Amino acid sequence: MRRALCLVVALAGCSAPDAVHRITVSTSHAAPGGTLENGRMLEGTAMEIAVAAYTEETTFHDSRRVSRPIEITAGPPERLRVIKGAAPELFILLAASPGPSTLDVRVEGVSAHRDLMIEAQPP
Amino acid sequence: MRWSRTAPIALAAVVLHACGIVPPTREGELGRGTFEYVCTNATDSACDDFGGGTFPGAIAVGASFGLRAQSGQVMTAAPAVSGSSGTFRASKPGTFAFYLMNGDEIVDYIHIKFRKATALTASRSEIIAYLSSDSYSWDDRSSFRVVLDDYLGGSFAPQVDIEPAELATWSLDRGVISVDGLQEGSGKVVVRALGLSLSIPLEVRASRWPDAGLDSGGDTDGGLGDGADGDGVGDGAAEGAIDAAAEALLDVTEDVAADEGD
């Protein structure tokens, strides 16, 4: 019944109601002098980030947060690493050395990209 | 029951807490773990002599320290921090993350500041050593500790030089530097650590007890007579003195009796 409904919706030109509609990547615990939002981190510091995925419920016209497999990569690896955190949606960024770096997150075909400048420790 | 690698740490923590001793610890920034600071040697002012202490606010650049946790292994991603297996060395100033790894997950982390030490401080402003360290004294002035300014944490290996070298020798035990005299005279003790140096005046005296070693001539025994020095020499003289005193007392007694008789 549900599949039939999806098929009808898809044929009508709409996305399936349980497909990931958008994702957010945000700082859940800031590093000293840096956040994902300001695009900065200090070398040698750590920062916890959270990824959230949402589906669009066409019935109620709102977004709903869901748990889906998250693909996350950071690099270059000698500069920025990402390691799983204490929950599936949490990740820890580890900044190793100064320079530009990137973070890419993908959840069911929806992706997000962030640029991070890793700065040297002040003298 | 499986004896895990962390079991001895947990057992040690239970024993220390039972004894009222709390090692230096800090909660993780995410509130999911506790990091315990480990002094790699007794020069680290963060630890006291009884297994307790205070988690340092900053570590001196060049000093070493340890971190451990009950629920995993403590690691760092900072190339500026050398070391592994929970023992690290602060290589340059800054703020660096140390994370608690459990399996393939980071449970928690803390950031620790590294700062250059600007001065060494000795627990004594003057060292007085002796040729014979035959007895312990409560006012011992031949031993001292060296601490970093602002009580920066971290263990270091002090290099000690006695100038002139023939004046004394030194030893380091549990963070305490002790100086033993080789010959009487004055000089200085120079301590170098973490690129800093400290000079302390040194005086070497013959003995801790000013008149020890004199067995005649000097009245060092509070009038007890030479026989009191325990060497057997002069015991006859002491007996003579006692006899003379007894005779004098007898004379006085006789005089009083004669007066009363009058």
Side-chain angles (χ1 to χ4, degrees):
Chain A
M1 180 65 188
R2 186 181 174 88
R3 283 184 179 177
L5 182 63
C6 286
L7 184 61
V8 169
V9 171
L11 288 172
C14 303
S15 60
D18 60 348
V20 172
H21 172 72
R22 68 185 174 94
I23 63 174
T24 60
V25 187
S26 56
T27 306
S28 62
H29 190 87
T35 63
L36 207 55
E37 288 71 27
N38 71 13
R40 292 166 51 195
M41 272 186 90
L42 278 177
E43 63 163 320
T45 64
M47 178 164 69
E48 187 185 58
I49 61 169
V51 177
Y54 299 88
T55 59
E56 189 172 15
E57 285 283 357
T58 53
T59 309
F60 301 101
H61 300 286
D62 65 351
S63 293
R64 204 174 69 176
R65 188 169 165 168
V66 291
S67 296
R68 297 291 163 82
I70 299 168
E71 298 169 55
I72 186 165
T73 55
E78 70 276 10
R79 192 170 293 156
L80 183 67
R81 288 169 58 204
V82 61
I83 298 177
K84 285 196 288 183
E89 73 276 13
L90 297 175
F91 298 89
I92 312 296
L93 293 180
L94 300 170
S97 59
S101 62
T102 58
L103 176 72
D104 288 286
V105 184
R106 190 175 184 85
V107 184
E108 284 186 357
V110 180
S111 59
H113 175 88
R114 297 285 184 277
D115 290 318
L116 266 173
M117 178 54 73
I118 300 173
E119 298 172 342
Q121 292 274 351
Chain B
M1 191 180 89
R2 201 160 62 96
W3 183 257
S4 70
R5 284 192 304 169
T6 55
I9 297 171
L11 183 63
V14 168
V15 170
L16 290 174
H17 280 278
C19 297
I21 298 166
V22 181
T25 55
R26 185 193 285 180
E27 289 296 314
E29 294 177 21
L30 306 177
R32 301 187 193 109
T34 302
F35 294 78
E36 185 180 328
Y37 185 86
V38 182
C39 294
T40 55
N41 74 41
T43 57
D44 194 332
S45 59
C47 299
D48 60 30
D49 291 341
F50 309 102
T54 307
F55 204 105
I59 308 284
V61 171
S64 58
F65 63 100
L67 289 172
R68 65 186 175 197
Q70 291 186 26
S71 54
Q73 192 179 3
V74 180
M75 304 170 80
T76 183
V81 183
S82 55
S84 60
S85 304
T87 303
F88 308 99
R89 183 174 173 274
S91 303
K92 70 175 198 176
T95 302
F96 298 99
F98 294 85
Y99 55 89
L100 172 55
M101 198 84 188
N102 190 358
D104 60 349
E105 295 176 0
I106 291 180
V107 178
D108 211 336
Y109 57 78
I110 53 173
H111 286 92
I112 298 180
K113 285 181 184 172
F114 296 164
R115 221 176 64 212
K116 276 188 178 173
T118 56
L120 299 174
T121 308
S123 59
R124 294 190 185 285
S125 57
E126 182 188 32
I127 308 300
I128 298 176
Y130 303 93
L131 293 182
S132 59
S133 54
D134 51 353
S135 62
Y136 176 78
S137 171
W138 63 271
D139 66 342
D140 177 39
R141 287 175 284 175
S142 63
S143 301
F144 64 102
R145 280 180 181 274
V146 173
V147 295
L148 304 171
D149 58 319
D150 292 338
Y151 288 95
L152 286 174
S155 299
F156 54 93
Q159 180 195 333
V160 183
D161 289 307
I162 308 286
E163 296 178 6
E166 57 272 19
L167 201 60
T169 60
W170 66 276
S171 59
L172 175 68
D173 182 30
R174 284 175 281 183
V176 177
I177 298 167
S178 298
V179 179
D180 288 313
L182 293 174
Q183 67 179 46
E184 282 185 84
S186 298
K188 60 184 177 181
V189 180
V190 180
V191 183
R192 293 181 180 87
L194 305 177
L196 301 166
S197 68
L198 169 70
S199 180
I200 315 163
L202 167 67
E203 183 184 340
V204 178
R205 295 177 181 171
S207 172
R208 195 181 304 280
W209 313 109
D211 296 318
L214 301 176
D215 62 356
S216 63
D219 189 10
T220 61
D221 50 15
L224 289 176
D226 290 347
D229 61 10
D231 63 0
V233 178
D235 286 358
E239 286 167 5
I242 292 169
D243 289 346
E247 283 174 11
L249 182 63
L250 188 60
D251 289 344
V252 171
T253 307
E254 286 172 351
D255 289 345
V256 170
D259 291 344
E260 285 176 349
D262 294 341

